[in-house]
Amino acid sequence: MSPARPRLRTPLVLALGAALALPLALTAPRPAVAAGASVTPLKFTVDAGGKRCTIDADLYRPAGVDAAHPAPAVMTTNGFGGSKTDGSTDTIAEAFAARGYVALAYSGLGFGKTGCPISLDAPAIDGRAASGLIDFLGGKRAADDGTRAGFVTLDRAGDPRLGMIGGSYGGAIQLATASRDPRIDALVPLVTWHDLGYSLVPNTVGGAQDVGAAARTPGVYKYQWTNAFFLIGEAQGLLHPSLDQSRLGGAGCTHFVARACDMKRLFDSARFPKARTDKRLRYARQVSPASYLDTVRAPTLLIQGQADTLFTLNEAEATYRRLTARGVTARMIWQSWGHSDGINAPAPGELDLAKGNLETSYVGRRVLAWFDRYLRHDTRAAAGPALAYYRDWATDGGHPYASADGPPATGRTLYLSGDGKLVGTPAAAGAGSRSYLNLPVATSHSENSLAGMTGQPNPAPYDGKGTYLGWTSNPLAAPLDVVGSPEATLKVTSSAAERVQGSSDAANKLVLFAKIYDVAPDGTASLVHRLIAPVRVPDVRRPFEVTLPGIVHRFAEGHRLRFVVAASDDAYYGNTGTKRVTVSGTAGTPAGTLRLPVDGG
């Protein structure tokens, strides 16, 4: 039986054009130019992987900056669906121009008035195009109208002192560009991806380093988010009716490159036959930092959002680990907001890209210090701790950010008892065997992926009776602060899943969803930031490890933890066919474990 495939409502298409961009709104008013700074609209015809594209850009030049008094440069571009003047990209450029940096804001390929189809930040296409802009800032070329930038600080001929900043789609382009062009001196990617296969078709068996497009078993299709992006991309002709012909894609695509549409068609098919999986998922890997990080050398400040079901904290952590393992300077901040609830209203004191409040926010000050250190070579500007993370329970009178020497390690292990309890020792585990059944339609709800940005209804999370299993702890005697990615070990049995274990189509393998609830004393259960871990079990006959999305959360005194394994989720495609799943344990032998990274051990 095919999985249920709910459809996004048509009115979302136009609303998403603003909401999915990080920039936040296509129609936001342009901010006033900083006193004394000039803004010059420019066009650049560049090579984008064998195709010529015209890039639409604005050059911000601070007062007093000239050939005799050059300044470092900051380059920024839009999130998906945005442009150079979307109320966030231009605000970032304006903010840095006001602080003495030359700034270049441009519309990414396929957006605004820039040509060429959308290629998902491919290094060989988007990254190569961005290198043409670096040539301009380095004095190696002029804009199409003859304008030259002879006022940017140079490290050597043709090599500008340059940083990049931007969010989401405007974050991955920085890493893609730096992988091809060593002239970039500092990066600040916000809320972006490590492996787009992990982002859109996650399989959380392992971690973000091991799954996604690189996984031997493909993941679970995150159809709401994915469809939203492709709807926005295909709606570009409506949003910008005078697009040039270079924007048109191929092979049935209107505004995407053909390989991106091939990948999307594979996702929509709900099938993963091996011969097609390697070919069609390969593009997701090629446009992901996971495939090219080994050539990135620029100091990188990674900023990721806790409220983000699209690009979780795990993605930034995977990038951070890959960079630092090679000796690349990197730091990481886990801020409060991401793509999910709260992107339009950052917590008080948090960086707001639409306001450019750099000096008045912790994250903003860290960004300024990063560029001052690596672009102005100001040794007084501190790089900051390896990890800083926002604590929503510390905002009343306390500093909301704490720091650590790196991603926290597991500090507390709980055990899944056969009788449904979450206990502190293996000896406390009781005997029991419990089952659930997936139905032809989704019976669990974690989120409407787009509710936080479009105003769509977002019911509280729920799980349908008989379609999930839960393990609940005793009330906590003291607060428990979890910082990082919980990990679980599970062993399930399912005769229906075993019968198709050897199927040539990976889509027939068992799918389940793991998650952790915070249960208040009155019984109210809250799913932290609505985050869940989709799993396509590689081999139902063997135990498997699950890495849940990273969280920063205090389970208060008197609250209980509840670990849940559910049959489905209505933001994803689910199981093919009906499968009964059983989890068993005996006295003293748990049915599994839940390991928590705990602040302070």
Side-chain angles (χ1 to χ4, degrees):
M1 185 176 296
S2 298
R5 303 184 189 178
R7 294 185 178 180
L8 290 173
R9 281 169 281 188
T10 303
L12 287 178
V13 176
L14 296 179
L16 290 173
L20 276 182
L22 253 179
L24 303 179
L26 294 172
T27 57
R30 182 180 174 85
V33 178
S38 63
V39 182
T40 305
L42 298 172
K43 300 285 187 182
F44 299 90
T45 301
V46 299
D47 179 6
K51 188 170 185 176
R52 304 294 286 176
C53 298
T54 300
I55 292 180
D56 186 31
D58 284 337
L59 178 66
Y60 293 71
R61 179 177 175 180
V65 171
D66 54 30
H69 306 89
V74 172
M75 194 159 73
T76 186
T77 187
N78 52 276
F80 201 95
S83 71
K84 68 173 187 178
T85 55
D86 52 27
S88 194
T89 306
D90 46 2
T91 301
I92 293 172
E94 171 71 18
F96 280 98
R99 290 156 181 85
Y101 288 93
V102 175
L104 184 67
Y106 73 97
S107 299
L109 302 188
F111 296 105
K113 295 180 180 179
T114 291
C116 283
I118 299 164
S119 48
L120 303 180
D121 280 342
I125 302 174
D126 304 77
R128 180 159 185 157
S131 283
L133 303 182
I134 299 175
D135 287 342
F136 166 75
L137 293 171
K140 293 180 65 175
R141 62 160 294 171
D144 289 359
D145 66 358
T147 299
R148 289 188 173 272
F151 41 80
V152 175
T153 303
L154 301 180
D155 289 322
R156 58 188 62 83
D159 183 356
R161 189 82 55 75
L162 174 65
M164 289 187 75
I165 184 172
S168 193
Y169 201 74
I173 184 57
Q174 300 173 48
L175 295 162
T177 305
S179 73
R180 297 183 58 89
D181 199 322
R183 293 176 292 175
I184 302 175
D185 299 286
L187 305 175
V188 183
L190 293 93
V191 294
T192 197
W193 66 87
H194 173 77
D195 183 341
L196 200 59
Y198 174 81
S199 310
L200 304 182
V201 193
N203 189 6
T204 59
V205 175
Q209 300 96 321
D210 308 312
V211 296
R216 287 192 291 178
T217 303
V220 187
Y221 182 28
K222 192 187 290 184
Y223 84 93
Q224 284 189 1
W225 276 120
T226 307
N227 281 351
F229 280 113
F230 274 80
L231 283 170
I232 290 173
E234 294 295 74
Q236 291 299 301
L238 296 175
L239 298 169
H240 304 283
S242 59
L243 294 179
D244 63 63
Q245 293 301 302
S246 73
R247 290 278 287 266
L248 298 179
C253 295
T254 305
H255 295 295
F256 288 87
V257 296
R259 290 193 65 190
C261 286
D262 286 343
M263 178 183 71
K264 175 65 162 51
R265 279 191 286 270
L266 173 64
F267 297 165
D268 289 338
S269 74
R271 299 180 64 239
F272 290 108
K274 185 177 181 181
R276 295 166 59 208
T277 299
D278 293 342
K279 177 182 177 182
R280 296 198 178 192
L281 274 180
R282 194 177 301 140
Y283 192 70
R285 187 73 171 180
Q286 289 177 349
V287 298
S288 297
S291 73
Y292 55 72
L293 271 177
D294 289 347
T295 58
V296 174
R297 294 183 287 275
T300 302
L301 176 61
L302 295 155
I303 302 171
Q304 205 77 354
Q306 296 174 31
D308 202 324
T309 60
L310 177 61
F311 305 136
T312 66
L313 298 180
N314 306 47
E315 304 233 36
E317 182 176 344
T319 299
Y320 172 86
R321 290 187 185 277
R322 282 276 301 276
L323 290 173
T324 55
R326 293 175 38 242
V328 176
T329 299
R331 301 289 188 272
M332 187 163 54
I333 300 174
W334 293 346
Q335 64 181 14
S336 65
W337 59 263
H339 287 81
S340 302
D341 60 319
I343 193 171
N344 292 319
E350 284 277 73
L351 174 65
D352 187 336
L353 294 181
K355 294 180 179 178
N357 58 327
L358 297 174
E359 280 92 351
T360 60
S361 62
Y362 172 80
V363 174
R365 292 191 295 271
R366 288 285 304 275
V367 170
L368 284 175
W370 195 256
F371 283 152
D372 284 349
R373 183 178 184 88
Y374 295 108
L375 302 185
R376 287 179 167 151
H377 293 174
D378 182 355
T379 56
R380 297 168 299 176
L387 171 66
Y389 53 91
Y390 181 88
R391 301 166 297 164
D392 60 5
W393 65 89
T395 56
D396 294 333
H399 192 288
Y401 276 88
S403 60
D405 294 334
T410 299
R412 177 80 59 89
T413 300
L414 301 175
Y415 300 88
L416 281 57
S417 177
D419 57 8
K421 295 178 181 178
L422 198 56
V423 298
T425 65
S433 181
R434 300 182 301 145
S435 300
Y436 70 78
L437 182 70
N438 72 277
L439 299 179
V441 296
T443 53
S444 288
H445 169 79
S446 60
E447 63 163 351
N448 173 346
S449 301
L450 312 168
M453 298 185 292
T454 64
Q456 297 292 309
N458 199 13
Y462 61 80
D463 297 292
K465 184 177 180 180
T467 65
Y468 75 97
L469 295 176
W471 291 263
T472 306
S473 73
N474 287 328
L476 295 170
L480 181 69
D481 298 341
V482 177
V483 179
S485 302
E487 299 173 343
T489 300
L490 294 170
K491 174 66 174 72
V492 302
T493 58
S494 172
S495 58
E498 283 194 45
R499 283 195 295 271
V500 295
Q501 181 63 43
S503 170
S504 60
D505 191 344
N508 290 324
K509 293 182 182 291
L510 176 67
V511 169
L512 56 83
F513 299 83
K515 46 195 168 182
I516 301 175
Y517 286 91
D518 182 336
V519 184
D522 65 0
T524 302
S526 300
L527 182 59
V528 180
H529 291 309
R530 298 177 179 261
L531 292 164
I532 63 175
V535 173
R536 192 180 300 276
V537 181
D539 189 340
V540 75
R541 298 164 297 186
R542 296 178 174 85
F544 53 95
E545 303 283 334
V546 177
T547 301
L548 282 79
I551 59 174
V552 179
H553 182 71
R554 166 167 286 183
F555 294 87
E557 179 181 348
H559 285 226
R560 293 174 291 160
L561 280 78
R562 179 174 296 155
F563 178 69
V564 167
V565 174
S568 62
D569 188 272
D570 59 7
Y572 295 77
Y573 282 7
N575 284 285
T576 57
T578 300
K579 299 179 177 74
R580 180 171 294 279
V581 176
T582 302
V583 181
S584 304
T586 60
T589 303
T593 61
L594 175 65
R595 302 178 297 280
L596 304 172
V598 177
D599 184 19

